[in-house]
């Protein structure tokens, strides 16, 4: 991958950071190609299908969730999909009310025990399922490592080997009372046989400092994983109007096919949410899985917001850009340099977000 944009960079610290990131991406792509994920000339040239999951997670049950995941992987592969994408925190479900002491007292211990550990037996079962069905799998999960939880998002190759294992860079709002920060190494796009694939979770799409870095790597396919998009008065920030607009916008400005998996609230999760005052506002349903073409238009089938199934669409890799960079595009580094040089007003340090947030689970 020849990232010629770095020749355009100014001397600012932000520009220097992006230069180094671009070099890291170049090295990662080279290593990945050597590993066999993207050998020269191996990219698909015929149309293929992709799938976004809209289903209820098996709440607080990792084993049950893995079983359902494997079943859906098989269903998508059987329907001809080359990629299936699961929602944010699909394993073991998105726990509305997690910021409250009532939820922590009632469910935190169980939630931690049912969070996924990389290289565990459950993880290996998921890798084996991807290899057996010969399908790429984008998976969202709560990851347990040591004494910390992270909001994990992995891309598993059709050969059963991980392409990317990333963590949500900065969990949103009250999520920061449970999950710790990831790091910027997860802001990378990977060359694969189905194209250049990148991933973000939920409100990472609301932060230009995150989206810009992925956009500058010229994705072909973007996984935008959301948890549940409930429609409730006073909670527009959580609903489909705001969040699907972010996904559609992302597809439009990048030209990337953007896949939006989404969970639903069924009877089991609803009863759990009703038991906690902080989550009683969450209604049933909330499934708004979508797939957007590179022009921002919805493609594929739609499912009622309370229903389970796969949203599937056909994409044509011949429409993907052959470039890995576009120095004259909307996301040129010249634009970044202009922003840096003309930033209005004094720069005030953000005390809340100025350092890495780590939540020691044992202290809760």
């Amino acid at each position: 991958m020849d990232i010629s944009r770095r020749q355009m960079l100014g001397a600012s610290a932000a520009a220097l950071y992006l230069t180094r990131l671009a070099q890291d991406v170049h090295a990662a792509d080279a290593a990945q190609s050597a590993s066999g994920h993207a050998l020269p000339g191996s990219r698909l040239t015929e149309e293929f299908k992709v799938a976004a999951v809209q289903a209820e997670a098996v709440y607080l049950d990792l084993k049950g969730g893995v079983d359902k995941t494997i079943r859906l992987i098989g269903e998508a592969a059987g329907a001809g999909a080359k990629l299936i994408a699961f929602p944010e925190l699909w394993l073991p479900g998105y726990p509305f009310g997690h910021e409250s002491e009532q939820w922590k007292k009632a469910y935190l211990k169980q939630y931690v025990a049912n969070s996924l550990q990389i290289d565990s037996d459950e993880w290996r079962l998921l890798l084996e399922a991807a290899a057996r069905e010969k399908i790429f799998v984008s998976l969202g999960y709560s990851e347990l490592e040591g004494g910390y939880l992270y909001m994990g998002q992995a891309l598993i190759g059709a050969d059963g080997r991980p392409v990317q294992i990333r963590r949500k860079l900065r969990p949103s709002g009250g999520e920061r009372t449970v999950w710790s920060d990831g790091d910027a190494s997860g802001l990378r796009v990977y060359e694969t046989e189905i194209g250049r694939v990148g991933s973000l979770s939920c409100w990472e799409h609301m932060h230009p400092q995150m989206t810009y870095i992925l956009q500058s790597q010229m994705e072909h396919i973007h996984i935008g994983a959301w948890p549940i998009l409930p429609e409730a008065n006073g909670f527009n920030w959580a609903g489909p109007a705001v969040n699907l607009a972010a996904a559609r916008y992302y597809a439009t400005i990048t030209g990337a096919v953007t896949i939006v998996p989404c969970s639903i609230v069924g009877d089991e999760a609803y009863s759990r949410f009703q038991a906690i005052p902080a989550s009683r506002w969450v209604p049933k349903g909330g499934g708004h899985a979508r797939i957007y073409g590179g022009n921002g238009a919805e493609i594929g089938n739609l499912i009622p917001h309370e229903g389970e199934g796969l949203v599937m669409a056909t994409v044509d890799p011949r429409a993907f850009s052959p470039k890995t960079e576009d120095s004259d595009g909307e996301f040129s580094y010249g634009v970044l340099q202009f922003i840096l040089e003309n930033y209005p007003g004094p720069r005030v340090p953000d005390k809340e977000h100025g350092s890495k947030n780590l939540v020691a689970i044992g202290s809760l």
Side-chain angles (χ1 to χ4, degrees):
M1 177 175 86
D2 181 15
I3 304 181
S4 60
R5 291 187 193 187
R6 60 176 173 261
Q7 299 169 2
M8 303 170 61
L9 297 179
S12 68
L16 180 60
Y17 165 75
L18 286 171
T19 305
R20 290 171 177 168
L21 179 65
Q23 292 168 342
D24 288 345
V25 170
H26 181 99
D29 275 356
Q32 183 186 11
S33 294
S35 74
H37 274 305
L39 294 173
S42 67
R43 186 185 294 172
L44 297 180
T45 57
E46 301 297 326
E47 291 183 344
F48 60 88
K49 294 179 182 178
V50 295
V53 169
Q54 179 174 303
E56 182 175 16
V58 185
Y59 194 52
L60 299 175
D61 181 356
L62 179 59
K63 183 182 183 302
V66 169
D67 289 344
K68 187 168 186 175
T69 303
I70 293 172
R71 186 166 68 251
L72 287 168
I73 289 172
E75 182 180 333
K82 294 292 186 182
L83 180 148
I84 180 173
F86 288 86
E88 181 181 50
L89 293 185
W90 168 252
L91 301 173
Y94 191 89
F96 281 104
H98 51 70
E99 71 280 3
S100 69
E101 290 305 315
Q102 295 99 323
W103 182 87
K104 290 180 174 68
K105 182 176 180 180
Y107 296 122
L108 178 61
K109 185 176 180 179
Q110 188 178 358
Y111 198 88
V112 172
N114 284 277
S115 292
L116 182 66
Q117 296 184 64
I118 303 301
D119 292 331
S120 64
D121 290 343
E122 293 83 4
W123 173 252
R124 284 189 284 273
L125 287 173
L126 295 166
L127 299 185
E128 290 168 4
R132 182 171 58 251
E133 301 294 349
K134 297 180 173 57
I135 187 172
F136 282 80
V137 177
S138 174
L139 185 67
Y141 50 90
S142 176
E143 179 191 348
L144 174 63
E145 183 181 65
Y148 302 94
L149 290 182
Y150 300 93
M151 301 182 79
Q153 188 179 24
L155 179 64
I156 301 168
D159 57 2
R161 290 184 292 174
V163 177
Q164 181 182 37
I165 299 174
R166 69 178 301 270
R167 293 165 174 171
K168 193 172 184 178
L169 181 55
R170 170 54 59 102
S172 305
E175 292 171 356
R176 292 194 287 276
T177 67
V178 176
W179 292 276
S180 297
D181 286 356
D183 59 67
S185 66
L187 300 178
R188 286 179 173 157
V189 173
Y190 287 79
E191 182 75 37
T192 77
E193 67 185 66
I194 58 173
R196 296 179 56 75
V197 184
S199 306
L200 291 174
S201 286
C202 197
W203 268 45
E204 286 187 310
H205 294 83
M206 305 296 186
H207 300 287
Q209 66 270 35
M210 299 183 199
T211 59
Y212 181 89
I213 295 172
L214 259 68
Q215 291 157 358
S216 68
Q217 297 172 58
M218 300 289 286
E219 293 168 288
H220 297 142
I221 297 174
H222 177 73
I223 311 297
W226 266 264
I228 301 163
L229 299 178
E231 298 186 76
N233 291 334
F235 295 90
N236 288 343
W237 56 269
V242 170
N243 294 284
L244 292 182
R248 188 191 290 267
Y249 170 74
Y250 193 97
T252 304
I253 60 176
T254 60
V257 172
T258 298
I259 304 170
V260 184
C262 186
S263 294
I264 67 170
V265 178
D267 292 338
E268 172 64 20
Y270 183 75
S271 66
R272 300 269 193 170
F273 295 159
Q274 289 300 298
I276 302 296
S279 55
R280 286 177 185 160
W281 64 272
V282 182
K284 290 185 180 180
H288 294 276
R290 295 288 190 275
I291 301 175
Y292 296 105
N295 60 359
E298 289 182 1
I299 57 177
N301 59 300
L302 294 180
I303 301 171
H305 78 93
E306 70 282 2
E308 288 198 341
L310 297 175
V311 174
M312 297 190 66
T314 299
V315 300
D316 186 352
R318 292 167 294 192
F320 294 160
S321 171
K323 300 187 232 179
T324 56
E325 56 82 24
D326 181 9
S327 59
D328 295 321
E330 285 82 356
F331 303 105
S332 72
Y333 283 83
V335 174
L336 175 62
Q337 186 171 354
F338 177 86
I339 293 171
L340 290 171
E341 292 175 352
N342 295 276
Y343 189 89
R347 303 191 182 197
V348 180
D350 184 339
K351 295 181 180 179
E352 179 185 0
H353 301 145
S355 58
K356 190 168 185 177
N357 181 55
L358 294 173
V359 182
I361 296 302
S363 68
L364 301 179

